[in-house]
């Protein structure tokens, strides 16, 4: 192979061969890295914009960005704007292995023979007065020393967003909710929570289970559509999703009505009348108080024709 080179005077970018011939980066990652190094600062380099510009699929671009970030060619940090929005700041490193040269250490001066001090005559009264005046003036014009700097206060995290709570926090329900919460890191390792965060988030997962949501449904709602940037506080994101995506409570089904048992048959010997009533009920026809339970015996006789 022979190179035909021409000196560039404008519209060119200097890219290191360490990136172009990197053994552990694929072609998509090298192409994405070269494109990001060639555009001006302030250009949008989101996955969507890179997909529209380069034509690669969004999954390949996301994998390429992770690979560039792994080898130091890319840094992504989530920052909060003055308006309160969370945006991702992307820094492209053209030479991640470069080091800032250290300043040379000055050599100590070689010892020299100092001449003996020359004796000075004692100051006169005029000279002593001028010296005292100059010393007082210098003392008056010297600014006071600044107060010692106080150490910065330790940074405290904001409290986590509130989460829903179940109506009946049974022990088995909370144990199942904690299991769902702990196994989220099997789907995405970034969703690792501390013991304090798990204690705060477990009632929210229990409220989902109480409303009929399955563990697979909860896991899908909490792990789908996460940002590709590093999560600085995954517990806050999980608390927000548990509160905003809470499913509605299932409608309460009233219990079925109790079947009504008819009153037993009673028989009156006086007027030969049968009626339904509790035992020892007087006959409604002749007011006979001596009624007895009637025994109904079906017969094979057909009813008389009318």
């Amino acid at each position: 192979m022979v190179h035909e080179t021409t000196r560039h005077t404008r519209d060119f970018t200097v890219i290191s061969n360490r990136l172009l011939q990197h053994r552990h980066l694929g072609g998509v990652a090298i192409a994405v890295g070269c494109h990001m190094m060639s555009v001006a600062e302030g250009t949008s380099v989101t996955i969507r914009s890179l997909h529209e510009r380069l034509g690669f699929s969004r999954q390949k671009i996301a994998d390429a960005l992770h690979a560039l970030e792994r080898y130091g060619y890319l840094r992504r940090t989530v920052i909060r704007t003055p308006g309160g929005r969370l945006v991702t700041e992307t820094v492209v490193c053209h030479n991640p292995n470069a080091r800032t040269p250290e300043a040379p250490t000055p050599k100590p001066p070689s010892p020299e023979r100092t001449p003996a001090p020359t004796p000075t005559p004692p100051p006169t009264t005029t000279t002593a007065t001028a010296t005292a005046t100059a010393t007082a003036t210098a003392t008056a014009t010297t600014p006071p020393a600044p107060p010692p700097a106080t150490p910065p206060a330790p940074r405290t995290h904001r409290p986590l967003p509130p989460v829903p709570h179940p109506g009946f926090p049974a022990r088995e329900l909370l144990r199942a909710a904690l299991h769902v919460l702990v196994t989220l890191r099997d789907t995405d390792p970034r969703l690792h929570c501390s013991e304090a965060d798990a204690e705060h988030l477990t009632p929210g997962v229990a409220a989902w289970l109480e409303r009929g949501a399955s563990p697979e449904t909860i896991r899908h709602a909490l792990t789908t559509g996460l940002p590709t940037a590093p999560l600085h506080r995954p517990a806050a994101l999980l608390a927000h999703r548990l509160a905003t995506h809470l499913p509605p409570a299932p409608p309460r089904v009233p219990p079925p009505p109790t079947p009504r048992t008819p009153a037993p048959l009673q028989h009156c010997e006086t007027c030969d009348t049968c009626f339904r009533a509790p035992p020892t009920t007087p006959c409604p026809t002749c007011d006979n108080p001596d009624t007895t339970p009637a025994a109904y015996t079906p017969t094979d006789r057909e009813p008389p024709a009318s």
Side-chain angles (χ1 to χ4, degrees):
M1 182 183 66
V2 179
H3 291 277
E4 181 181 350
T5 60
T6 304
R7 182 178 180 83
H8 296 279
T9 58
R10 64 176 185 175
D11 297 337
F12 65 93
T13 302
V14 178
I15 300 177
S16 173
N17 282 338
R18 292 182 181 178
L19 172 61
L20 296 176
Q21 301 178 7
H22 204 286
R23 294 184 178 182
H24 303 290
L25 290 177
V28 178
I30 294 175
V32 172
C34 293
H35 172 74
M36 296 176 68
M37 291 181 182
S38 64
V39 297
E41 293 187 357
T43 304
S44 175
V45 288
T46 61
I47 295 179
R48 179 177 181 181
S49 60
L50 293 175
H51 163 69
E52 295 175 353
R53 177 63 182 85
L54 301 178
F56 300 118
S57 65
R58 298 190 179 185
Q59 183 61 41
K60 289 185 177 181
I61 291 178
D63 296 340
L65 293 177
H66 284 300
L68 292 171
E69 192 172 9
R70 187 183 312 116
Y71 289 102
Y73 289 96
L74 190 67
R75 292 199 309 268
R76 292 183 290 182
T77 308
V78 178
I79 61 176
R80 187 181 297 274
T81 62
R85 295 181 55 191
L86 294 177
V87 297
T88 303
E89 182 183 39
T90 305
V91 179
V92 181
C93 304
H94 289 247
N95 192 2
N97 297 326
R99 287 187 175 182
T100 304
E102 298 180 357
T105 305
K107 297 182 179 180
S110 57
E112 296 180 359
R113 182 177 298 177
T114 56
T118 303
T120 56
T124 59
T125 305
T126 306
T127 306
T129 305
T131 303
T133 305
T135 303
T137 305
T139 304
T141 57
T142 303
T150 57
R155 183 178 180 183
T156 58
H157 291 288
R158 293 183 179 179
L160 293 175
V163 296
H165 285 69
F168 301 95
R171 181 178 303 177
E172 293 77 8
L173 182 66
L174 295 177
R175 185 181 296 111
L178 180 61
H179 177 72
V180 173
L181 187 65
V182 171
T183 54
L184 290 179
R185 58 189 177 188
D186 298 338
T187 305
D188 194 330
R190 297 177 298 173
L191 300 179
H192 180 80
C193 298
S194 63
E195 183 177 359
D197 295 339
E199 184 178 359
H200 179 82
L201 297 174
T202 299
V205 181
W208 282 57
L209 293 174
E210 188 182 48
R211 297 192 174 206
S214 63
E216 291 75 14
T217 303
I218 300 175
R219 190 175 294 106
H220 181 269
L222 297 180
T223 60
T224 303
L226 295 179
T228 58
L231 301 179
H232 295 281
R233 203 177 184 194
L237 185 144
L238 294 177
H240 174 74
R241 290 198 171 189
L242 287 173
T244 56
H245 299 169
L246 181 66
R252 294 190 177 183
V253 180
T258 305
R260 185 176 180 181
T261 305
L265 286 173
Q266 306 297 329
H267 179 254
C268 178
E269 295 288 346
T270 303
C271 62
D272 194 17
T273 300
C274 283
F275 58 95
R276 291 188 179 277
T280 67
T281 301
C283 176
T285 303
C286 63
D287 294 333
N288 178 24
D290 299 328
T291 57
T292 58
Y296 174 73
T297 303
T299 61
D300 298 336
R301 295 181 302 174
E302 297 181 358
S306 54

